[in-house]
Amino acid sequence: LSVQNVVARRFLLSSRFIRMGYVSLTVVTVVLCVLQLLLVSAIGHHPVGEGPKRHFEAKAEHFLVIGCDGFGGMFLENATSFLPHFAKFFANGATTTRMRDRNPSVSAPNWAAITTSMSIEESGVNSNSWTPADDNPGNDITGGGMPPISGAGKVPQAYWAAAKIQNPELKTAISISWDWINYLCDNNTCDDLFRGKEDDLAVAKAMAGFIHDHQPNVMFVHFDSIDDAGHSSYWGSEKYYNATKNVDGYIGLMLDALDAAGIADKTLVIVTADHGGWQSHHGDFSQSNMYIPGLFMGPGVRPKYEISSPTSNLDFAPTGLAAIGLKPGEFMRGRVLEEIFQ
């Protein structure tokens, strides 16, 4: 029996109308179905994991994602007193240090999740050894990996590619310290690309130059030195936090570049990480590994707003695209964090 029929039968058994013979089971079922449709229409139908949507007005023209490899959310919580540029996000934006990454908490699957809004199962990127060749396992059904949901032989679609599909005139810029991320720059979707070979300062300067010269609409920058410090000492060590101070300075360089280019008040800036860690490694299913920061600052973002709703690293790309008036990419699985906007 359907839910409507079960409810209808209980209604009829308890109703004086059935005893009077005025109403049939079919009529009551129809009435209940109509009421259900009216209720759904009134509150809206939302996919699993999404709350009711409110009106969202895009107020930015640019967005920049700054990736800080290895900077776990729990290690940021008590560090803002000596990280002034990170602190700006807590004072002027919407923040959480308890956003969740993907398991295993290693770099490639999580940078893929951040930039494509696909889970590991959907992107096919399951380890740091992944290469584009793994996108097309062909007839190898036991050891050849999984093709992305965007299609066998196709690199998982990053947010800069999704932006270009919707508006080819948009300008994109990518500056990366870890060269693996270059795999996600395919089909000329990255107008400006700098591969810094683990030189974070060079990466920061390159992106500052792109901002000065071209004012890109869609940007991604990646810094690797915090993760290196964790591996060479341990997460939370003096060396580790010295590396966070350096990256804080690089973030300041990005913010200054946006201001000098006259686009700071038109740019949504997002800061996050791929994972945390413990002792001198990461990859475990634990809070120190799985919690990452999600920091948002820019036009329309609520100041001093603590994000309390459930979020994951799948939500960065859809939120950034929505901020500049674009739809999520066809294969994106995250949600737009509408609650962070005024």
Side-chain angles (χ1 to χ4, degrees):
L1 291 176
S2 68
V3 173
Q4 290 90 350
N5 278 338
V6 171
V7 174
R9 286 179 184 277
R10 290 180 178 178
F11 173 82
L12 288 171
L13 288 173
S14 62
S15 171
R16 64 186 179 88
F17 293 109
I18 189 63
R19 292 195 299 270
M20 297 174 63
Y22 292 155
V23 182
S24 69
L25 176 62
T26 301
V27 171
V28 174
T29 301
V30 170
V31 170
L32 289 174
C33 288
V34 170
L35 290 173
Q36 182 182 25
L37 289 172
L38 290 173
L39 179 62
V40 169
S41 176
I43 66 174
H45 173 70
H46 310 290
V48 173
E50 292 191 10
K53 292 187 179 297
R54 60 183 181 84
H55 176 69
F56 176 77
E57 180 182 357
K59 295 183 178 180
E61 297 177 13
H62 314 260
F63 82 95
L64 164 64
V65 177
I66 300 175
C68 307
D69 207 300
F71 200 5
M74 300 186 76
F75 296 95
L76 172 61
E77 289 176 356
N78 298 316
T80 54
S81 62
F82 55 83
L83 300 175
H85 296 103
F86 280 97
K88 286 183 179 180
F89 287 81
F90 290 88
N92 303 302
T95 60
T96 178
T97 57
R98 299 299 176 100
M99 185 173 277
R100 298 186 181 223
D101 65 3
R102 320 314 294 175
N103 188 43
S105 51
V106 296
S107 291
N110 281 288
W111 288 124
I114 289 165
T115 58
T116 71
S117 187
M118 299 183 203
S119 68
I120 294 170
E121 297 81 1
E122 292 159 340
S123 72
V125 180
N126 67 336
S127 74
N128 289 351
S129 63
W130 180 94
T131 70
D134 297 320
D135 272 356
N136 195 8
N139 294 324
D140 186 352
I141 64 172
T142 61
M146 288 291 292
I149 59 173
S150 50
K154 298 180 180 179
V155 171
Q157 187 184 92
Y159 64 77
W160 45 84
K164 281 283 195 181
I165 289 172
Q166 295 181 59
N167 184 354
E169 300 302 315
L170 293 176
K171 290 176 282 189
T172 61
I174 316 297
S175 187
I176 52 175
S177 186
W178 187 40
D179 205 55
W180 180 92
I181 298 170
N182 181 59
Y183 285 139
L184 301 177
C185 292
D186 69 324
N187 298 326
N188 300 314
T189 57
C190 301
D191 296 326
D192 292 318
L193 173 63
F194 179 77
R195 299 163 69 177
K197 307 293 185 180
E198 301 185 9
D199 185 341
D200 281 3
L201 178 57
V203 166
K205 288 181 176 179
M207 180 55 76
F210 295 152
I211 293 170
H212 176 272
D213 295 339
H214 303 133
Q215 297 85 55
N217 304 99
V218 179
M219 297 167 274
F220 177 78
V221 62
H222 169 272
F223 299 121
D224 205 40
S225 54
I226 298 175
D227 182 72
D228 287 343
H231 284 298
S232 60
S233 58
Y234 57 88
W235 261 255
S237 69
E238 182 179 1
K239 182 177 182 179
Y240 180 87
Y241 277 116
N242 283 337
T244 68
K245 293 177 184 178
N246 291 335
V247 170
D248 183 78
Y250 304 147
I251 292 175
L253 186 60
M254 303 293 95
L255 298 179
D256 289 345
L258 294 171
D259 188 55
I263 60 172
D265 60 349
K266 303 174 184 177
T267 304
L268 173 67
V269 183
I270 301 171
V271 177
T272 190
D274 51 344
H275 56 74
W278 190 248
Q279 296 181 336
S280 60
H281 71 278
H282 58 84
D284 297 334
F285 188 68
S286 67
Q287 295 180 81
S288 62
N289 281 259
M290 298 290 294
Y291 282 139
I292 57 170
L295 315 180
F296 303 81
M297 184 171 66
V301 176
R302 296 183 180 185
K304 297 183 179 180
Y305 179 72
E306 183 177 350
I307 302 170
S308 59
S309 52
T311 61
S312 80
N313 59 6
L314 299 186
D315 301 333
F316 290 116
T319 301
L321 291 172
I324 62 171
L326 299 179
K327 298 177 181 179
E330 178 183 359
F331 306 104
M332 291 184 176
R333 294 298 181 261
R335 69 182 182 91
V336 176
L337 300 178
E338 297 191 359
E339 63 269 27
I340 72 172
F341 296 99
Q342 294 175 327

